[in-house]
Amino acid sequence: MSWLSRLNPGNRSGRSAAPSNPCTADPETCLMVFENHWRQVSWVLEQHDSLSSSDDLIAVRNHTDQLLCLLAEELPAEVPEGSSASVPPMGPILKLVVTKSILERLLQWHLRRGLDPDSQGALLKLFEMLIGQSQQPLLQHTAILHPLLRLLGACADSELGCPSALENSLVLLLNQVCVSMARQPVVLEMLFRAAPAQQGSTNLLIFSLLVPFIHRDGAIGQQARDALLLVMSASASNESVAQYIAENSYFCPVLATGLSALYSSLPRKIEVRGDDWHALRREDWMSVSSLVLFMNSFEFCNAVVQVTHPVVRSQLLDYLHNGFLVPVMGPALHKSSVDEMIASTAYLDLFLRSVTETSLLKTFLRFILMHRHDNDTILDTLMTRISSNSRLCMVSLSLFRTLLSLNCEDVMLQLVIRYLLPCTHVMLSQRRAIRETDLYGKSANKFLSLIPECCRVNATPSAARDEDREAFWGKMLSSPTTEFQAPARPNTPSRLSFFIRQQSSGGGPSSPTRMEPLHLGLSGPHPLSPDSPIHQQHTRTDCLDWDSGYLEYLKDARWGIERCSWACRDWSAPYDGENPSPNTASLPPPPPTSNPSMAMFPEHFSLQQGGGANTPRVQQRAAIVAAARSEWSSSERDSGEWDVTIGKNNCISLTPRSKKRSLQQEELLPKPLPPLVTSSSVTSLSSSHAISSPPCQITTSAGTLSYQAMYNGTVSQGDGCLDSRDRGLEVKKVKRDLGEQQYLDENANQNGTMVSGSTLPNNVFSNSKITITQPAAETKPLMRNISEPHSTSTDLPETNQLQQSVESIIEELLEQAPEDHQQPGDSNGQGISIEAFTKELRELEDQVNKHSRAACQTEDIVRESLSAELQEEVVMEAKLAGKVMGDEALAGIFSPAQPLNQPVSQPYTVKSRKSSFGDLILRHTNSPTRARHAAQLAFAHVRDGSQSLHSALFRGGGGSGGGGASGLERQAEALRVKNAVYSAVIFCEFLKELAALAQEHAVTLPFPQSEEAEE
Amino acid sequence: MNLNPFWSMSANSSRKRVDNEEQSGHGEQRASPSRLPFGKKQLPPIPKTVAPITKPMSTGPPVQSTNGTHASYGPFYLEYSLLAEFTLVIKQKLPGIYVQPSYKSALMWFGVIFIRHGLYQDGVFKFTVYIPDNYPDGDCPKLVFDIPVFHPLVDPVTGELDVRRAFAKWRRNHNHIWQVLMYARTVFYKINTTDPLNPEAAVLYEKDVQLFKSKVVDSVKLCNSHLFDQPKIDDPYAISFSPWNPAVHEEAKERMFAFKRRPEDHHKGTQVSGLSWVKPGSTQPFSKDDNPPQS
């Protein structure tokens, strides 16, 4: 009932329970009450003495309150019969208000006696109530509109301004005005036409009052943005208002440059949680208030672009490009610290993923593709970062994934197609072949042939089974006569596998082991019956199959290609080798050579080694120092770790890795067999693990892993670069010696060690199980999944367990180890003997080296073949495949580090392969579960081994006390080995995926171009 | 039997039903015509009723993949090669020819050819294509008409068309199955009498065209009179004809005309709108644009 309680903003519902409940009161009574109030108010108003008392003010307020409540709740008069007026006639109270200019007079009185903030706020709230609640289109009457504008004008007054206490009320009122304006478009016209004299300096007062609140935090900002959006959509069809907004208001510049301001308050470094983090998801940024603020404004931008008039839109986009992207995003992406690069790349990725409006997306893409920052396009800069070995690579890849997912012709043109158009990568005589369909699975075969020996199930085929399979397949309907007599039987693989699968799964709970017949490997679920129970059952079983899921890959590939070719059906050209013609295509630009950010981090960028010779020495000087710095700091971090290298004679060498990496890379260039594991990638993995898991503090405190140094690169040891280069030679020598020695060792071991199948790791595991004290509970479910596959198909919790990523397993392993370490008493009591342990270790090394060597050789092959023979096949399908597998293969192949118009024989640097590894792991983190399953299962072969390795290592370290350092080394080594095996497995899954894509391409039908009407 | 302009074909998907049942309007019939021209390159679904085959019996020549190490994927190569061939057939849009791979084997295709003018006008000939299992390295595929058409190049007993004369040696990468189908169509428009499989037809064509013509008309009539017969080969995807029945076929026909191929739906509701601001004929990004921002 009281003034205050009614106008309490939080008490909106209280208003409907207004004093003189008019719904029940009859209009005549209301009018009488209103007139009565008005009589009393007008008596006060007419006292012209300037010294009106506070009593007067209270009286006026009370009466005004009653008056406006009555007005707000008056129903419009009934439409007289026969009247065709669209606007319902005014109710009697409104009529009185209009004819007597009641509001105008009230406001004049207030203004005359000087509007104190209290009354101002009260009036704002009253008007807000009036407009929000009224049943009649009040704003269409100038008798109401003009006092309102007068009140707002007072708020806009530069001297009085709007006290911050009133901001909430003001924005709420403006919001209400905009809401009713959206309902009655004519109001916009009236607002716009109202004489400038009456509302101050600007035409659209409401608008200019709202603009300062665009980027505000909290509810007030949201209300302001909502209100502005309403104005925007209301003005979408009003040319003059749009013109006004574009030319006379600060809306667009405020919006765009506001983004810049908000961007500058974003965290420079993103605190990452998991090791596999590579992109900002919603849950990541919802907790970062500055990012929430930015995203609110950004989404508002997107919404404005969506609803507004084209004039405003193009102005806003211009401002965004020139006021935000170029001056803010551009430099942010080129910050010198890796952390900042990571952050800005992740932000850009997030923005791109958040945009829904095509024209806004276009602005972003144009910025990425066309804008040159320090002579290089953003795209080129981003591309060079793929070959970095840190999280920057992951984040950049994630950004590229987003870019590719757009199926945008312009992006693909810049990224891939322009390099292929001139067809300089194909001999003239071979060009015709580009257009030919790969009918017989040549590419697929090529891809599959790259699968490392160790990952092949059929390496040990039973001859009989082979025959069986061939028999199935070989059964032919070669002549009509046989056909008519013999019972027809399915003889194509999908069907074939289906039947075999039924057969085998019906055969009881015999667990499929790795040596299970090939059929299982072939038999994925049938592509067309994903819902059948058989499918479900088999998917489970497939998870346990090393070589499973090829049909799944085919299915995914088909879907991906279809979706992609559908999305690309409106591209300007088919890019089929004929159109556009190779002859008219201009040669692609050379790769960027003088990218300062690349020079800053030579270890991140493979190009540096190749192109460094061309650039002037002086220019390079600073870069080298910086490089040395980071090299030094990273080598410091690496000290005590080991490089696994494969020499010419295929021997494995373990070399202490210290301050020699840059040189090693150069020396290895001409070698056919580069080191097994790219050292830095492993290192970054291990170090980040060390950080992420608290128990590893020991590691950091030991001084071997210096996270700070790694990222900041501030350790001032610039002179170290020369040293390190010189010293590299010596180390190299040592390494070779070591290698030979190791070779002998290996020979010796091979005699004694049986490295067949899974027997060895199992043995090892069962031995070491005794030594594991507490972590058994954690690892057991996983083990059981491996050993008892049939129980998993019924047991849900265990299936979930199975889906755990391999990373988490590694983490688990790492975590459990130091815990053991912290309980030396336990480990002393139950530790195994050193002899047994070293033997175990050696066996494991053999086992693992076997895997890794194969993986390494394969890598070499795939590198060559990817760059040479297969290139043509892969890339001319770039239009389709590019988007499907662009984030896997193409980005790697066509990075400027390996320009296509250079001879393919140019050797890759060692580092360049890292991209593919990082890439694979990145893929893995988002990959369908099957890849994960496969990798996990494959990993199991070494996992149980490594596990014992770990527990043994830390037991040994804890027990002997002095062995701590070597324990750390071995931990790093074990990790590296795991990484290698893991990579090998993912690699072969990747090959399967590529093969599946190649096969599906041959059977794809293009979609016809959509008609103009569509879209 | 005169020619009904509303021929309708339908894959005999419900092969389980009694064989001598009248062919007219069966509710479960697939809208096969719509599948043919736009057929998805999919493996046909497997009805759950099909009994699994328990034991392989014969030992045919093993299919060796090129390098031998990936024999496990060999079957995929063959099946995908055939799928690719089928895709090529679809792309060729051969007039009056429709084919459909068998359910039971990708190496057997059912087809029908409509002859629209010439001596064999109004002929509707069903046929089966048999692809050798060592495709693409084997002989050329066989094409056998269900009913031996009276034609110099068609064996009067087996109904096999003499394909080999056109494809003396089957060359992978150069010869494709669509060419065989094309050839099968051509022989009815351009009659060749050299080295005939049906000497009678050859002689008549050269010596007594009138008699030849009347024999052809008889042959066409014979073929068309057997049009509604059950397919010769018991296969769910065999092509079977039934008289026009609006209740059944009208809807299928409409779907055929209204059909628009779209990508298969996938559970991920990702954005598929491809973007392009490239001016046709240009290879410059954003060339379509008329007002680039001033920077």
Side-chain angles (χ1 to χ4, degrees):
Chain A
M1 186 102 15
S2 86
W3 166 274
L4 281 172
S5 74
R6 186 148 350 115
L7 294 176
N8 184 348
N11 194 16
R12 279 171 145 261
S13 59
R15 276 182 218 151
S16 54
S20 55
N21 197 342
C23 299
T24 51
D26 70 301
E28 276 184 36
T29 319
C30 286
L31 181 62
M32 280 171 63
V33 175
F34 185 87
E35 281 172 332
N36 188 30
H37 280 300
W38 172 238
R39 213 171 299 126
Q40 297 181 48
V41 173
S42 55
W43 185 80
V44 178
L45 298 187
E46 276 155 20
Q47 294 183 326
H48 278 288
D49 48 6
S50 52
L51 297 166
S52 55
S53 66
S54 59
D55 285 350
D56 288 344
L57 182 60
I58 290 168
V60 169
R61 272 196 191 181
N62 280 335
H63 288 301
T64 313
D65 182 23
Q66 299 296 329
L67 287 171
L68 293 195
C69 276
L70 286 166
L71 174 59
E73 280 149 8
E74 186 190 43
L75 293 169
E78 286 183 17
V79 182
E81 272 190 47
S83 161
S84 60
S86 56
V87 181
M90 296 181 274
I93 296 177
L94 178 58
K95 210 177 271 175
L96 192 69
V97 169
V98 169
T99 49
K100 300 211 167 174
S101 297
I102 288 174
L103 289 180
E104 184 69 32
R105 287 172 67 186
L106 272 169
L107 207 75
Q108 293 288 6
W109 181 80
H110 274 289
L111 290 174
R112 212 166 40 235
R113 72 185 295 275
L115 197 57
D116 60 304
D118 205 25
S119 322
Q120 195 180 0
L123 282 171
L124 286 172
K125 285 173 182 173
L126 266 182
F127 267 100
E128 187 259 314
M129 181 273 295
L130 189 63
I131 292 159
Q133 305 234 317
S134 171
Q135 312 274 332
Q136 308 184 71
L138 295 181
L139 289 177
Q140 298 187 14
H141 304 284
T142 44
I144 289 163
L145 192 64
H146 284 184
L148 171 71
L149 290 174
R150 211 176 282 281
L151 175 65
L152 292 175
C155 294
D157 192 294
S158 53
E159 279 174 40
L160 284 170
C162 181
S164 56
L166 296 183
E167 281 179 346
N168 280 322
S169 313
L170 175 65
V171 172
L172 204 57
L173 169 61
L174 291 169
N175 186 291
Q176 284 298 336
V177 172
C178 290
V179 167
S180 64
M181 182 187 69
R183 291 201 194 114
Q184 315 157 37
V186 65
V187 173
L188 175 70
E189 199 78 3
M190 293 178 67
L191 281 169
F192 190 64
R193 292 243 185 86
Q198 272 181 315
Q199 42 171 300
S201 50
T202 54
N203 258 23
L204 207 47
L205 182 65
I206 297 179
F207 199 74
S208 39
L209 279 173
L210 278 170
V211 167
F213 296 96
I214 288 181
H215 298 295
R216 278 295 179 88
D217 200 356
I220 186 172
Q222 200 54 51
Q223 281 164 359
R225 288 190 289 268
D226 289 348
L228 281 169
L229 213 51
L230 287 171
V231 180
M232 286 297 156
S233 64
S235 68
S237 54
N238 189 324
E239 182 78 33
S240 54
V241 175
Q243 211 74 37
Y244 168 79
I245 292 173
E247 286 164 13
N248 299 55
S249 85
Y250 293 113
F251 175 72
C252 293
V254 166
L255 191 48
T257 52
L259 280 183
S260 300
L262 289 174
Y263 184 90
S264 67
S265 63
L266 294 183
R268 299 284 167 89
K269 179 186 175 182
I270 295 176
E271 300 291 335
V272 286
R273 295 196 195 112
D275 190 53
D276 58 348
W277 180 89
H278 57 271
L280 282 166
R281 294 151 304 176
R282 194 170 180 82
E283 58 264 33
D284 287 334
W285 60 264
M286 282 311 275
S287 53
V288 184
S289 59
S290 56
L291 199 47
V292 171
L293 203 54
F294 184 93
M295 288 309 287
N296 282 341
S297 291
F298 186 67
E299 278 163 9
F300 175 63
C301 262
N302 188 62
V304 169
V305 168
Q306 186 177 12
V307 300
T308 195
H309 190 276
V311 174
V312 181
R313 181 195 310 154
S314 73
Q315 198 199 26
L316 177 60
L317 293 176
D318 269 10
Y319 271 109
L320 278 177
H321 187 267
N322 297 326
F324 169 59
L325 291 175
V326 170
V328 176
M329 263 332 270
L333 287 166
H334 289 80
K335 282 277 160 62
S336 54
S337 105
V338 176
D339 271 338
E340 283 180 275
M341 285 188 205
I342 291 171
S344 55
T345 311
Y347 292 145
L348 183 58
D349 180 34
L350 174 64
F351 303 158
L352 280 173
R353 279 185 283 122
S354 309
V355 171
T356 63
E357 276 312 295
T358 311
S359 52
L360 184 55
L361 196 59
K362 180 183 173 188
T363 306
F364 268 84
L365 292 179
R366 183 204 298 279
F367 164 69
I368 293 171
L369 264 56
M370 308 301 278
H371 173 66
R372 287 184 177 272
H373 186 97
D374 291 344
N375 281 332
D376 281 318
T377 61
I378 305 283
L379 189 73
D380 286 338
T381 308
L382 291 171
M383 210 140 52
T384 57
R385 293 188 183 153
I386 293 179
S387 50
S388 92
N389 63 5
S390 67
R391 196 183 296 282
L392 182 59
C393 158
M394 309 268 275
V395 173
S396 304
L397 280 173
S398 187
L399 175 61
F400 274 102
R401 177 198 294 259
T402 303
L403 283 175
L404 293 172
S405 74
L406 299 172
N407 295 315
C408 173
E409 183 176 5
D410 307 62
V411 172
M412 291 311 289
L413 196 61
Q414 289 298 89
L415 209 51
V416 181
I417 300 173
R418 66 172 163 165
Y419 299 100
L420 302 176
L421 278 179
C423 274
T424 45
H425 60 294
V426 187
M427 278 192 296
L428 206 59
S429 57
Q430 297 294 312
R431 274 192 197 172
R432 211 173 53 85
I434 288 170
R435 293 193 295 272
E436 276 171 13
T437 314
D438 176 21
L439 273 182
Y440 311 116
K442 217 172 73 188
S443 321
N445 192 46
K446 195 73 119 190
F447 279 125
L448 291 173
S449 71
L450 301 174
I451 290 178
E453 206 60 60
C454 61
C455 302
R456 284 183 194 157
V457 189
N458 49 341
T460 55
S462 94
R465 276 176 177 144
D466 240 15
E467 260 176 42
D468 279 4
R469 186 174 44 75
E470 302 298 0
F472 260 112
W473 182 238
K475 169 64 197 131
M476 255 325 296
L477 310 163
S478 49
S479 79
T481 40
T482 10
E483 171 51 32
F484 294 145
Q485 290 153 9
R489 71 175 52 118
N491 65 346
T492 40
S494 48
R495 293 159 239 188
L496 174 79
S497 61
F498 175 81
F499 292 120
I500 295 167
R501 188 43 82 87
Q502 263 202 348
Q503 192 186 346
S504 76
S505 60
S510 68
S511 57
T513 66
R514 198 157 61 100
M515 299 304 171
E516 194 75 359
L518 195 49
H519 316 90
L520 286 181
L522 277 179
S523 54
H526 192 280
L528 289 187
S529 55
D531 298 326
S532 76
I534 295 150
H535 174 274
Q536 315 251 319
Q537 183 192 350
H538 287 173
T539 326
R540 298 255 167 81
T541 345
D542 278 345
C543 305
L544 303 165
D545 201 326
W546 169 282
D547 191 25
S548 69
Y550 190 61
L551 272 178
E552 284 287 300
Y553 280 118
L554 286 170
K555 190 179 148 200
D556 272 13
R558 167 171 311 172
W559 176 76
I561 291 171
E562 280 216 333
R563 191 178 142 277
C564 186
S565 90
W566 171 258
C568 303
R569 68 195 188 283
D570 289 333
W571 279 20
S572 73
Y575 298 102
D576 53 2
E578 283 174 339
N579 177 16
S581 157
N583 305 321
T584 60
S586 56
L587 284 175
T593 48
S594 58
N595 191 326
S597 62
M598 285 167 62
M600 288 296 278
F601 297 92
E603 72 162 325
H604 292 292
F605 304 112
S606 54
L607 181 68
Q608 194 57 35
Q609 277 92 22
N614 302 335
T615 43
R617 269 179 164 249
V618 191
Q619 266 192 335
Q620 291 266 294
R621 178 65 190 159
I624 287 174
V625 173
R629 222 175 253 167
S630 70
E631 194 69 29
W632 179 266
S633 55
S634 58
S635 59
E636 187 184 54
R637 152 178 57 100
D638 291 341
S639 65
E641 296 193 12
W642 296 71
D643 261 331
V644 184
T645 317
I646 298 187
K648 275 178 189 148
N649 43 12
N650 258 7
C651 70
I652 311 279
S653 68
L654 293 174
T655 13
R657 172 149 41 96
S658 55
K659 311 177 184 75
K660 55 147 178 80
R661 278 194 299 157
S662 58
L663 189 67
Q664 191 190 347
Q665 283 165 27
E666 283 159 18
E667 291 211 20
L668 278 172
L669 274 180
K671 279 193 149 194
L673 292 174
L676 159 66
V677 187
T678 50
S679 47
S680 337
S681 64
V682 179
T683 318
S684 69
L685 182 68
S686 62
S687 62
S688 46
H689 264 291
I691 295 308
S692 62
S693 52
C696 284
Q697 275 171 346
I698 303 148
T699 327
T700 7
S701 63
T704 49
L705 299 173
S706 167
Y707 192 73
Q708 285 294 324
M710 169 182 168
Y711 279 106
N712 294 339
T714 48
V715 184
S716 56
Q717 308 206 18
D719 296 339
C721 75
L722 296 172
D723 283 12
S724 72
R725 277 168 186 265
D726 290 341
R727 241 177 283 169
L729 269 176
E730 297 165 28
V731 181
K732 182 68 189 167
K733 257 186 212 161
V734 175
K735 198 184 69 147
R736 245 185 218 139
D737 295 344
L738 272 175
E740 277 157 28
Q741 193 187 335
Q742 186 72 24
Y743 179 54
L744 294 175
D745 281 358
E746 195 186 48
N747 272 348
N749 282 336
Q750 268 173 356
N751 296 332
T753 328
M754 231 289 283
V755 270
S756 75
S758 53
T759 50
L760 176 66
N762 280 341
N763 285 342
V764 171
F765 191 84
S766 55
N767 283 345
S768 62
K769 205 150 72 172
I770 311 161
T771 71
I772 297 175
T773 47
Q774 51 87 19
E778 280 176 47
T779 53
K780 209 181 167 191
L782 280 162
M783 279 180 51
R784 246 202 288 166
N785 275 331
I786 307 307
S787 56
E788 304 168 6
H790 279 268
S791 71
T792 61
S793 55
T794 52
D795 204 340
L796 263 176
E798 290 198 353
T799 318
N800 289 340
Q801 188 77 30
L802 191 75
Q803 293 182 351
Q804 216 174 10
S805 72
V806 178
E807 283 95 335
S808 70
I809 297 170
I810 299 177
E811 209 151 9
E812 214 171 87
L813 292 172
L814 275 175
E815 271 171 17
Q816 82 193 28
E819 276 169 44
D820 284 355
H821 193 62
Q822 285 166 345
Q823 302 164 356
D826 277 5
S827 55
N828 273 338
Q830 298 175 20
I832 53 169
S833 74
I834 297 294
E835 290 83 3
F837 158 60
T838 43
K839 186 168 165 260
E840 250 183 47
L841 186 66
R842 195 164 300 142
E843 285 169 351
L844 274 169
E845 268 174 16
D846 282 355
Q847 171 81 4
V848 151
N849 285 345
K850 200 189 93 186
H851 283 252
S852 327
R853 185 172 28 191
C856 173
Q857 287 164 343
T858 319
E859 269 174 53
D860 256 43
I861 302 165
V862 76
R863 243 174 34 212
E864 283 162 25
S865 17
L866 270 181
S867 51
E869 301 109 310
L870 285 180
Q871 212 168 45
E872 70 181 78
E873 279 148 323
V874 179
V875 296
M876 271 325 283
E877 291 158 343
K879 173 182 173 186
L880 301 172
K883 269 143 270 100
V884 180
M885 62 183 183
D887 49 342
E888 286 119 31
L890 296 179
I893 300 171
F894 304 111
S895 71
Q898 219 271 326
L900 284 166
N901 46 3
Q902 285 181 16
V904 266
S905 59
Q906 180 197 8
Y908 273 66
T909 60
V910 177
K911 297 282 186 183
S912 71
R913 276 179 304 129
K914 257 174 247 156
S915 63
S916 66
F917 271 141
D919 188 290
L920 287 171
I921 290 162
L922 169 64
R923 276 174 34 69
H924 164 84
T925 58
N926 285 348
S927 71
T929 43
R930 62 182 149 63
R932 191 168 296 195
H933 290 323
Q936 200 169 345
L937 181 80
F939 200 50
H941 299 298
V942 273
R943 170 153 37 85
D944 34 15
S946 316
Q947 197 157 7
S948 75
L949 177 70
H950 265 282
S951 54
L953 277 170
F954 283 92
R955 224 155 278 285
S960 63
S966 85
L968 281 174
E969 287 161 11
R970 288 188 171 131
Q971 181 197 351
E973 168 62 19
L975 216 111
R976 199 174 305 138
V977 158
K978 265 183 214 148
N979 227 18
V981 175
Y982 183 45
S983 304
V985 171
I986 296 180
F987 178 63
C988 83
E989 293 297 313
F990 176 46
L991 286 171
K992 280 195 233 167
E993 190 171 355
L994 289 179
L997 281 167
Q999 286 206 300
E1000 285 294 342
H1001 262 296
V1003 300
T1004 302
L1005 274 179
F1007 287 94
Q1009 268 206 333
S1010 63
E1011 294 94 58
E1012 288 298 312
E1014 219 173 343
E1015 288 309 317
Chain B
M1 167 83 36
N2 60 344
L3 274 181
N4 186 332
F6 296 111
W7 291 118
S8 69
M9 301 182 301
S10 62
N12 188 0
S13 62
S14 43
R15 209 47 201 127
K16 294 289 165 196
R17 70 188 176 198
V18 191
D19 260 8
N20 52 11
E21 182 190 306
E22 198 53 49
Q23 275 264 354
S24 63
H26 196 281
E28 287 176 38
Q29 278 168 333
R30 278 160 197 278
S32 164
S34 71
R35 278 195 54 132
L36 283 174
F38 312 99
K40 297 215 184 114
K41 335 115 323 261
Q42 289 171 343
L43 309 179
I46 297 168
K48 295 187 180 88
T49 48
V50 177
I53 285 161
T54 45
K55 189 69 192 160
M57 283 147 59
S58 65
T59 53
V63 179
Q64 282 298 336
S65 73
T66 41
N67 64 358
T69 47
H70 297 280
S72 59
Y73 293 95
F76 284 103
Y77 298 150
L78 179 51
E79 182 151 341
Y80 268 78
S81 296
L82 293 169
L83 275 173
E85 287 282 5
F86 187 66
T87 309
L88 283 184
V89 171
I90 293 169
K91 284 181 184 162
Q92 293 302 321
K93 296 190 173 77
L94 301 172
I97 299 180
Y98 301 92
V99 282
Q100 165 136 307
S102 144
Y103 160 68
K104 285 165 184 159
S105 165
L107 294 163
M108 179 166 69
W109 294 10
F110 305 113
V112 62
I113 181 166
F114 294 82
I115 305 300
R116 284 158 183 169
H117 49 88
L119 288 174
Y120 290 85
Q121 184 170 350
D122 296 342
V124 181
F125 307 123
K126 289 202 269 184
F127 62 87
T128 310
V129 178
Y130 298 94
I131 301 151
D133 60 343
N134 53 352
Y135 168 89
D137 298 317
D139 269 344
C140 70
K142 291 180 180 178
L143 193 150
V144 180
F145 289 102
D146 283 14
I147 297 166
V149 193
F150 184 75
H151 188 283
L153 301 186
V154 175
D155 189 309
V157 181
T158 62
E160 183 173 348
L161 175 71
D162 188 1
V163 179
R164 214 156 295 177
R165 68 170 61 220
F167 305 91
K169 175 154 174 26
W170 188 262
R171 291 155 70 209
R172 53 154 55 210
N173 268 324
H174 285 88
N175 293 134
H176 299 294
I177 293 170
W178 69 266
Q179 294 163 337
V180 174
L181 301 176
M182 184 73 142
Y183 173 72
R185 183 177 176 271
T186 316
V187 296
F188 291 108
Y189 294 107
K190 233 180 124 179
I191 287 151
N192 184 350
T193 54
T194 54
D195 217 359
L197 286 183
N198 186 344
E200 187 203 350
V203 169
L204 276 185
Y205 180 74
E206 279 168 2
K207 300 280 181 324
D208 188 350
V209 183
Q210 286 312 315
L211 186 55
F212 177 81
K213 277 183 181 167
S214 73
K215 284 234 176 197
V216 164
V217 169
D218 290 346
S219 178
V220 166
K221 275 184 181 163
L222 179 76
C223 286
N224 290 354
S225 71
H226 286 93
L227 203 56
F228 296 137
D229 287 0
Q230 282 296 325
K232 271 184 141 178
I233 296 166
D234 181 15
D235 189 287
Y237 290 174
I239 295 174
S240 75
F241 282 73
S242 59
W244 176 258
N245 177 354
V248 176
H249 300 122
E250 195 68 61
E251 190 200 350
K253 186 180 152 201
E254 254 154 45
R255 257 186 292 150
M256 242 171 94
F257 282 111
F259 182 80
K260 255 191 172 176
R261 196 166 75 95
R262 292 187 69 92
E264 278 175 71
D265 282 330
H266 202 272
H267 49 89
K268 288 178 208 161
T270 38
Q271 180 202 6
V272 286
S273 69
L275 305 165
S276 171
W277 293 282
V278 181
K279 198 166 109 196
S282 162
T283 55
Q284 290 305 309
F286 300 106
S287 47
K288 213 188 221 170
D289 201 42
D290 29 13
N291 50 341
Q294 283 78 43
S295 47

